[in-house]
Amino acid sequence: MSLTGKRRLWLALPVALTAFSWFQIRENHRLPGQSGNPADAKTRTAPPDAGHERASPQKLARQAISSDWDQLLLWLNSHPDPDAVRARLTETKYRWTETDPQALAQALRRLLESGQDAPTGLGFRVGNHGFLADWPTLRVFLLDVLAASDPEMALQIAREILADARSAEEYAIALRSLTRPGLGRAPDAELLDRFDHLLTRPEWQSSPGFAETFDLPRYLGTPDAARHLAASTGNDKLRSMALHEFAAERPAAVIEALKESTLPRADLMARADPQDPAQLAAVDAYLRDPSLPHEDAVSFLKTFPLRSATTGYRLYGKTPAPYTFERIAAGDRQAAALAETWAADPALAPYHAEINALKTRLSKWTEQAR
Amino acid sequence: MKSKIFPAASCLLWASTLGSMADPKTTTPEKINPKRIGEDPYRFNGAVLTDTARGSGFCAWNRHTFFTAAHVVFDDTAGKWELPPSWYPQANSEELKIEDAILSRGYFRWTNYADLVAAGDSKYSAFSRDVALAFAFQKLIKGPPAEINLNGINDLKKKKPTIITGYPADNLYEDKNLTGYYLYKTGPVRTPYKPYSGHALITTKVTTGHGNSGGPIWTKNAKGDWNAAGVLVGGLPSESVVYAFSQDMSSLLSVAKPTLRPEIGMTELSKEISSTSQFFPYHKDQKIPDGRHSWTAFKIGVDLPDREAKLTACRISLDIRTKHRGDLQVVLQAPGGYQALIHNEGGAGADDLIIKDMDVSAAFKDILPRGSWFLLVQDRLKGDIATFKSCVLEISQDEQPGSTPAP
């Protein structure tokens, strides 16, 4: 072979190798069912539209989300196992939240506007940091992911949903996109209006979404929010739990709200913080109120200062963790001093048995806390 | 004293299953030899008494805390808060001695609002939220507390050995009264529990009796030690319902943690960042589009050797150069969309946004941190070009998977 021939061979070799590798890659990446027959390949029938085809990353992300959505709708038609649904929706959420927050919000808006939906077979369960751990419908799933998208756009989309929510669950979860810090935060007055509006929907009152919305006043934490909660009617158990969680964190606001309420208040007054002179005075006035039923006074004295509480994952506020060792111990010392004055007061003689039991209890706790 | 053990609703269930109660393979409670009361796992047990109820409990996670069933300490029907329960450590006698009682200071019931309306507040939902963690200012037992199996929800469904311990007042299966407050064990057995409602699991091959509510169900860990995997919450003549522990309990322990009396010489835990923290730096000079309401995302890949360990603490340091930091919005986003607002147009006309070791643990506690994190930045007002220089994400996963927060 001549030198030129050898050179040509060396030049041709990489070309041949590249062609071989390309062929191999094509073979390896062929999807099941693809025959590789050139006759099966799609051919372009029109000149390329480069401007149209060169989609932005945001556009690609929206397309991917739309494709995921179509597949989810199809898949749920086959009634998959609840564990599989939970796993797939969780995985989908993790993938979607890796896209640009604004592209995500736009994609979610389109899907919500399409009106498409499907039940998932799961319940409505709040998980850590207020995100859902179970989603009853795909629309509720979309609204849950919405709270991880662009806060301003999510706020706007959520307001549109709230105006026409299909269920208490949609309402509750859309409301969460109005409670995000920063640009996604609606004014307190709007949030309270929306809470009040929810209460006017009797058909929703046995829904888990309706129930979880009772965390909203605690999230707001204002005296006004406490008043709205105290004035709510319908489900006494929900209101009671919400008032206690609110009072455990902000007793002053709840004690203030109770002044205008006819609700039973013995347990709630027992949540007063004895370190706050105003609350201590409120508690003293409560016990000395001549109209206070004996039963209520006994109930109050049995639990004051009440430091047991409910906790768990909540939709709007943080997981309640209202008490610390230092504050409980300091409060017990103040309460013990107040109990001494009550025990010495003949006007409170009808309650002396309970007051003495309270003194004994507080003395035990203050001793243990030393 | 009234013995209010399993929720009243369970009576209905009892009636419906009487027909199948003659299963001879049902395991029933046996009294513990008094000489063994001081051994694991028996020494963790105690009788739990309130003004109106008698139950069982076990000291776990911390020497100042004990678990029990929520229905032992709180009457759901009356919906009234009462005195916190008293703990009688290692009770094992005909009568309880009042001088042995340790009055707890309070307790936390792990529940949610939805359970109050679920299925008309039926027995099913009642069982699914039937757990409470009481805390006391005094130590509840001698020696270390029991460890918790946060994977109980899965382990109890397997054919692994389990024991239930506690203070039954009767043997439901044999219809016998059991006098006094003696410690009993039911098992060990290898019976897989089946899903019942939420975290409640059920088996039809194990039974104990009233008074055992709140007692622990134990599973063995890799070292062969018994760990508390759940709480007995209900039962019938030939079945038991347990509330199985899961990662949720880690959050419950975090709630109780601030109520614990600080021990002398105890490690400072408030900062939560330890020497096991991992650092993820990101350096890139990049201009942020000026006056545009769109996010510039800086992706930080977090690859941690332990895929299952949860985040216990997180800090962020950041350097963005600008003439007006008041133009900027900065959000840190974790895998799954969990977000923390780092900067919200504060600082008005001040210049560079430089943040050092901002603790953002609260926004990300207990999430799985492995995956893509994003620092999202917007410069919302025109006029000054901001330049991103660097950020450093610091993540700690102090506890091992399946373990509990440091007590």
Side-chain angles (χ1 to χ4, degrees), chain B residues 5 13 46 64 68 78 80 129 134 183 282 292 332 336 375:
Chain B
I5 312 307
L13 194 62
H64 294 88
T68 187
K80 274 174 68 69
R129 61 167 191 271
L183 185 62
Y282 188 105
R292 277 182 54 187
L332 178 65
L375 190 77

Side-chain angles (χ1 to χ4, degrees), chain A residues 178-245:
Chain A
L178 274 63
T179 61
R180 294 169 67 190
L183 298 169
R185 176 66 152 79
D188 282 12
E190 178 185 344
L191 290 169
L192 280 176
D193 277 352
R194 294 191 184 279
F195 177 68
D196 289 345
H197 175 72
L198 179 86
L199 301 176
T200 65
R201 302 288 296 262
E203 71 277 21
W204 285 354
Q205 296 203 0
S206 57
S207 306
F210 175 89
E212 295 293 354
T213 311
F214 273 72
D215 186 46
L216 190 65
R218 177 185 73 97
Y219 161 80
L220 292 168
T222 60
D224 200 24
R227 272 193 293 276
H228 276 252
L229 179 59
S232 68
T233 55
N235 189 320
D236 293 349
K237 281 190 170 181
L238 289 175
R239 183 186 55 207
S240 171
M241 181 169 147
L243 275 170
H244 274 280
E245 288 200 353

